[in-house]
Amino acid sequence: QVQLIESGGGLVQTGGSLRLSCAASGRTFSTYAMGWFRQAPGKEREFIAAISWSSGDTYYAESLRGRFTISRDNAKNTVYLQMNSLKPEDTAVYYCNADQTLLSTGWGNRPPGEYDYWGQGTQVTVSS
């Protein structure tokens, strides 16, 4: 049974930082790309970043590049999202996912149902 379990969310003040974790289990993910998305109330799910599990290559939404950094720890089967200089508009539920589609431009543009696996999400709230 595949599980993606996010953690590390919470309440933070504007300008603060958080590091989210996504622990993956239940299968070998070496051929997968792992992604982070977020969804604010009343809005569509938004792509943030993705990383190739095997090569470590990364791909970011241009609007978030620079403040958010994706990384992975193969030994721990965990993907991270480091978020800095947080703003109230970053408030959302943050999700990780996994998909076998080769990481490339547009990887994060498909409808949510077209990805292989999703976690349950972790809430991030940024206070002003």
Side-chain angles (χ1 to χ4, degrees):
Q1 179 184 358
V2 171
Q3 285 190 307
L4 302 178
I5 300 177
E6 301 96 334
S7 61
L11 176 64
V12 63
Q13 291 186 335
T14 295
S17 298
L18 282 175
R19 188 178 79 158
L20 306 183
S21 300
C22 174
S25 63
R27 67 164 301 131
T28 300
F29 288 94
S30 58
T31 60
Y32 281 69
M34 309 292 291
W36 284 99
F37 290 69
R38 67 184 182 183
Q39 189 164 16
K43 295 187 177 182
E44 293 186 351
R45 198 164 293 193
E46 176 188 20
F47 170 72
I48 300 170
I51 187 167
S52 168
W53 200 270
S54 58
S55 68
D57 291 342
T58 58
Y59 173 60
Y60 290 89
E62 284 303 314
S63 61
L64 296 172
R65 182 190 294 272
R67 291 196 300 125
F68 290 15
T69 303
I70 191 170
S71 62
R72 82 214 192 288
D73 184 329
N74 287 3
K76 295 183 179 180
N77 252 23
T78 299
V79 176
Y80 303 99
L81 185 68
Q82 177 67 41
M83 306 186 296
N84 299 327
S85 302
L86 285 164
K87 307 172 184 179
E89 51 263 44
D90 294 319
T91 295
V93 178
Y94 283 69
Y95 298 90
C96 73
N97 75 342
D99 192 81
Q100 290 198 83
T101 303
L102 190 66
L103 188 64
S104 64
T105 301
W107 187 92
N109 292 344
R110 289 172 287 148
E114 293 189 10
Y115 295 90
D116 293 332
Y117 304 107
W118 287 95
Q120 292 301 305
T122 185
Q123 176 71 45
V124 171
T125 302
V126 184
S127 64
S128 55

